[in-house]
Amino acid sequence: MKRRVVSLWSALSVLTLAAPAMAGSNDLELSRFATFNDTTSESGCTETCGFAEPDEALFYDLSRDLGQVMAPRFVAPSETLGQAGFAVMFMGSLSAIPHNEEHWQLGVRDRNPEPTLFTGHLQVRKGLPFSFEVAGNLGYLYDSEMFTMGADVRWALNEGFYYFPDVGVRGTVNTVVGARELNMVNVGWDVSASKSFALGGVMALTPYVGFQQLYVISSSRVLNAYPQDPRPPQFNPDSPNQVFAPEFVFSQEQIQINRFLGGLRMHVWILNFTLEAVFSDTVQQYTFAGGVDF
C-alpha cells in the first residue's frame, strides 16, 4: 500500500511539473537592463559604433525578487520524521511580486508580468538518526523554462516533549536551471518552532512559525545591448573612439534577505496537508502542500 501511494504521488508530481521546452512569458530578457550608447556620429565610424551601459540596480532588484520566488519552500513543522520516516510532498505556490516595478516590466519577455507567479514543487524527505532529516527538492516556474534543483538538511534541537514546542534549524541550497541569461544559487538557513495538537485521536494540527536568512547569489551570462547588429565587438587600435562594444555582463551579486513564515499542517493517517505564508519586504508567498508521511 505504501509503495502504491508513493508511486501515485510521484507520478502526479512529475506530470504537474512537466512543461514543454519552449520560451514563456515569464522567461528573462536581461539585455533590456542596458542601453546602447551610440557614438557613430562623433567618432566618425562608417558603421555603427558605441558601447553598452548596463543598469546594475535593475539586475540587483530582479535577482532579489526572483531568488525568493525560486527559493526552497518550508511546508513542514520543526519536528523530523524519525529514523525510519519517509515523506513525499507536492506543493503549489503563489508569489506576490512588485510587478509594476521597472525591473519586472523590462526583465520578463512579454513586458507584462502578472502580479503573482505560480510555481510547482516536489519534495522528498528522509528521516535520519539523532533527529536529523535530509530532503531533495525540484521546482518549476510556470510559463517559463526555469526549474530549480536543491537539497536541505534539518536538525530538531528539541522535539517530542509534551509541554514544550519542537524547535528545529535547517540549511538549504538550490540552483536555477534553464535560464539562458542568468546564473543563480540560493543558500539559506532558518529556525522554526512548532507544536502539535491531537484532535479526537484521528488527526493532528501543527501550527509553526519561523525566521529565515536567504542569500541569493546571481550573475549574468554574456548579454547584448544592440542585438540588431550581428557583428562581433569591434575595436580600432589606431582610433580608440571607434569602438563597437554591445556586449556586457552583470557581475556576481550576493543579496541577503530576511523572511518570516507561518503555517499550519493537518495530519490524518499517512496524509498531510499544509498551508503556509512567507513574508519579506518585497515578495510574499502563499503555499498549499499535500503529501504522505510514513
Side-chain angles (χ1 to χ4, degrees), residues 75 206 208 262-266 273-277 286-289:
V75 294
T206 308
Y208 61 93
L264 177 67
R265 186 185 73 169
M266 180 179 70
F273 305 93
T274 304
L275 289 173
E276 178 180 272
Y286 307 95
T287 301
F288 173 76

Side-chain angles (χ1 to χ4, degrees), residues 14 17 20 52 54 88 99 103 112 115 132 151 157 167 181 188 209 220 239 267 289:
V14 170
L17 289 172
V88 178
H99 68 290
H103 58 278
N112 187 30
F132 280 92
L157 302 174
V167 177
E181 297 183 346
V209 295
S220 79
S239 182
H267 196 178

Side-chain angles (χ1 to χ4, degrees), residues 1-11 81 84-88 267 269-271 291-294:
M1 178 64 183
K2 292 182 178 180
R3 292 181 179 177
R4 290 180 181 177
V5 174
V6 172
S7 299
L8 176 61
W9 273 96
S10 300
L81 293 167
F86 184 82
V88 178
H267 196 178
W269 186 44
I270 65 169
L271 303 177
V292 290
D293 292 1
F294 303 113

Side-chain angles (χ1 to χ4, degrees), residues 13-223:
S13 301
V14 170
L15 289 174
T16 308
L17 289 172
M22 61 180 66
S25 59
N26 288 327
D27 280 312
L28 305 178
E29 290 288 346
L30 300 182
S31 58
R32 297 175 186 159
F33 288 175
T35 56
F36 183 73
N37 189 351
D38 194 325
T39 60
T40 304
S41 57
E42 57 262 38
S43 61
C45 292
T46 57
E47 296 183 279
T48 301
C49 285
F51 54 91
E53 294 184 319
D55 190 327
E56 297 282 349
L58 291 177
F59 181 71
Y60 178 96
D61 290 343
L62 184 71
S63 297
R64 176 200 60 208
D65 293 352
L66 185 63
Q68 296 177 74
V69 173
M70 306 301 281
R73 289 348 187 222
F74 303 89
V75 294
S78 306
E79 64 184 11
T80 58
L81 293 167
Q83 181 173 347
F86 184 82
V88 178
M89 295 284 290
F90 174 73
M91 295 159 263
S93 185
L94 289 173
S95 297
I97 61 171
H99 68 290
N100 288 322
E101 297 292 332
E102 186 179 12
H103 58 278
W104 279 110
Q105 294 289 321
L106 292 178
V108 297
R109 177 154 297 173
D110 68 354
R111 297 179 181 264
N112 187 30
E114 297 292 334
T116 56
L117 300 179
F118 184 75
T119 51
H121 304 264
L122 170 66
Q123 182 188 75
V124 179
R125 298 158 51 209
K126 179 66 179 75
L128 298 175
F130 308 110
S131 296
F132 280 92
E133 179 181 291
V134 294
N137 303 281
L138 293 175
Y140 170 64
L141 173 61
Y142 278 77
D143 205 6
S144 81
E145 294 181 327
M146 288 184 282
F147 291 80
T148 59
M149 301 172 58
D152 59 64
V153 58
R154 183 195 308 269
W155 181 37
L157 302 174
N158 177 63
E159 64 177 343
F161 290 92
Y162 186 81
Y163 293 105
F164 300 99
D166 300 328
V167 177
V169 294
R170 185 183 70 149
T172 66
V173 61
N174 78 354
T175 183
V176 176
V177 296
R180 59 185 177 84
E181 297 183 346
L182 178 71
N183 305 306
M184 177 174 284
V185 174
N186 295 310
V187 180
W189 69 271
D190 55 74
V191 58
S192 62
S194 64
K195 188 73 175 74
S196 183
F197 300 93
L199 299 178
V202 296
M203 63 179 295
L205 292 178
T206 308
Y208 61 93
V209 295
F211 167 80
Q212 182 195 47
Q213 278 193 344
L214 178 68
Y215 299 89
V216 180
I217 305 169
S218 67
S219 62
S220 79
R221 297 170 188 173
V222 177
L223 305 170

